[in-house]
Amino acid sequence: MKTSLRSVVVFILGALFILGLPWFLGKFGISLMNDIGIGALVALGLVLLTGVGGATSFGQAAFVGVAAYTTAYLTTHFDLSAWMGLLAAILITATCALIIGCITLRLGGHFLPLSTIAWGLSISLLFGNMDMLGRNTGITNIPPVSLGNVALLSPLQMYYLIWLLVGLALLFSYYLLRSRAGRVIRSLRGGSVLLASVGEDAFVVRLKLFVTAAVFAALAGWLYAHMNRFVSPSPFDLHASINYLLMAILGGVGFLSGALVGAAGVLISKNYIQDVLPLVSSRGGQLEAIVFSALFILLLHFARGGIMSFVAKRKRVSQQSVTADKKRYQPSGEPPLTERAPLAAGTQVLSVDGVVRRFGGLVAVNNVSFTVTAGEIVGLIGPNGAGKSTMFNLITGVLGKTEGRIHFLGEDVTHKSQRQIARMGVARTFQHVKLRPAMSVLDSVALGANMRGSAGFIRSGLGLNRAEENRILDQAYKQLQRIGLEGSEYTPAGKLPLGLQRILEIARALASDPVLLILDEPAAGLRKHEKEVLATLLRQLKAEGLTILIVEHDMDFVMKLVDRLVVMNFGAKLIEGSPQQVRADKKVQDAYLGGTGE
Ligand code: ADP
Ligand code: MG
């Protein structure tokens, strides 16, 4: 894993700027910077959760509040130190997030935002109605944070603590996104079937991300409580949550630095508006809400990508012309990832026995049986609606079975989940390509090697995954060389033509070191030339000894590739045999060749 030089320079310059800034600021400026830092921590969590992970939360201020009240209560009632308060605040906030995430994250569509609104509303009501939390007056006399004998009492002292934590959170997020865990996070928007194909459970990943964002909010809440030395319910209400979301969106939800820019933008303009509005009207407070809502709507309409996307767009254009073509991946020289032992010739890899699948009254797959042996390429063909995709989904575990048995390497996988089957060595591609368009070609392939690594959120975020990450990227690069795409490592996958995207998906599947590769209609939508390139690649893979099952509609495409064909029609197996036998068969000609002219 290589940290880019530009990022190092930007981070160091940023750190120097933060260190020196107080010399140029008055007391008011420092206080404002403290608020910005606290806001940026919360917004950073939202950039990860909403911007990258695609889950919108209106409940972040409530997490800030839980942490602030936890440390406030423990340090005032039990004389605990602020540091013990920090530990408790993180633990309790993370537990809340875990419980709420378990309940809400499985809900699709608008349920997640709605249920986080409910959580956001109820927490500030709870604070305001509990006697032990001081109801609407809140908790006062919270002790300051102490470092040894030094109590951090002044805004300037807090400034350094706050921005130290902001810097650490930024580093953590930066490393996290550039890791094995990060590739999975960045693939969340690609859907749960994509994640399952690389052995991950989308719900679990989203839950971890939700807890991570809540922990960032907890840091903010702890800082808030010990900076202001008192807490009351209103800074943690729904209104505050919306402000945090606004910060993330203003900065640009896809950019870590957007959290800083957005927090600064919102808080500085808020201050400005608070100064100006009373001059216009005596109802400044109400007007402020209206002005902010209007800004929010304008932003969503005209600048969805936020401020940072404008900065990035400029840069991308300049990079394309100068460096994009020169940039190459440099293999790290770490020992390569361990590979599965090759199978003995003649080992039975897949066996499908009398499988039936019904959709209501329709029998989509009707008592189909066939086998695939190590080193073979088998084609599963048939006209449209024959049941090929259904068969594909049964083998890969996407669909539950109704009758019959499927064995993989002798093990019964009939009732195993998609993830379990993927982990056993069945790699797949998709009929409709599932790549993340903005992810680089190299990262897209590295995602396929996901199951060969183990670094999780914490190890990745702390940068302790370097050796493993290097081995994964080396493996991805090796697969790119294998398919002839080296030289495009840093091109966004979405920029490739469809033919190359298909091939890229094959490379992603190969990166998992599969026993069996299953392709769903790989030739669909390809031009003649692209089909030839694909056929050449598949022949090469066969020569290397890979076992392949191709599910295909295009008969000409598979004829020259496969050892054996299984032909389906109306859900049933019509015939099985060599391409010559199948081509000569009268039933196939009737059902297929004659019928569709393919
Ligand atoms: P193929 O991939 O060979 O074109 P499919 O496996 O997609 O065929 O479909 C086989 C039959 O099952 C078709 O008649 C299709 O309409 C039906 N079918 C497929 N999936 C579903 C589903 N999820 N619900 C209901 N019917 C389905
Ligand atoms: Mg199909």
Side-chain angles (χ1 to χ4, degrees), residues 330-367:
Q330 297 294 330
S332 69
E334 295 277 346
L337 292 171
T338 47
E339 294 185 356
R340 290 177 215 269
L343 294 177
T347 311
Q348 194 170 79
V349 174
L350 181 74
S351 97
V352 176
D353 274 315
V355 166
V356 178
R357 171 70 208 206
R358 295 190 177 84
F359 291 111
L362 181 104
V363 189
V365 170
N366 189 1
N367 195 19

Side-chain angles (χ1 to χ4, degrees), residues 358-377:
R358 295 190 177 84
F359 291 111
L362 181 104
V363 189
V365 170
N366 189 1
N367 195 19
V368 173
S369 306
F370 65 93
T371 60
V372 179
T373 310
E376 236 187 346
I377 299 198

Side-chain angles (χ1 to χ4, degrees), residues 70-86 141-143 222 226:
T70 301
T71 193
Y73 186 78
L74 293 178
T75 51
T76 52
H77 283 68
F78 298 103
D79 257 0
L80 291 183
S81 77
W83 298 107
M84 290 304 286
L86 174 63
N141 288 326
I142 301 172
W222 176 75
H226 294 284

Side-chain angles (χ1 to χ4, degrees), residues 264-316:
V266 168
L267 289 171
I268 292 172
S269 51
K270 203 172 176 140
N271 254 298
Y272 182 73
I273 291 171
Q274 274 167 353
D275 286 349
V276 172
L277 283 183
L279 306 178
V280 185
S281 155
S282 56
R283 292 192 176 149
Q286 285 157 339
L287 260 185
E288 185 199 322
I290 295 173
V291 169
F292 258 81
S293 311
L295 280 180
F296 205 171
I297 293 169
L298 285 177
L299 200 64
L300 288 177
H301 250 279
F302 297 109
R304 280 217 164 170
I307 296 173
M308 287 313 291
S309 76
F310 289 110
V311 180
K313 240 175 234 159
R314 282 238 189 93
K315 204 165 288 145
R316 219 169 283 151

Side-chain angles (χ1 to χ4, degrees), residues 359 362 364 382-391 431 521:
F359 291 111
L362 181 104
N384 269 328
K388 304 180 299 292
S389 290
T390 307
M391 190 70 237
Q431 183 174 348
E521 304 220 9

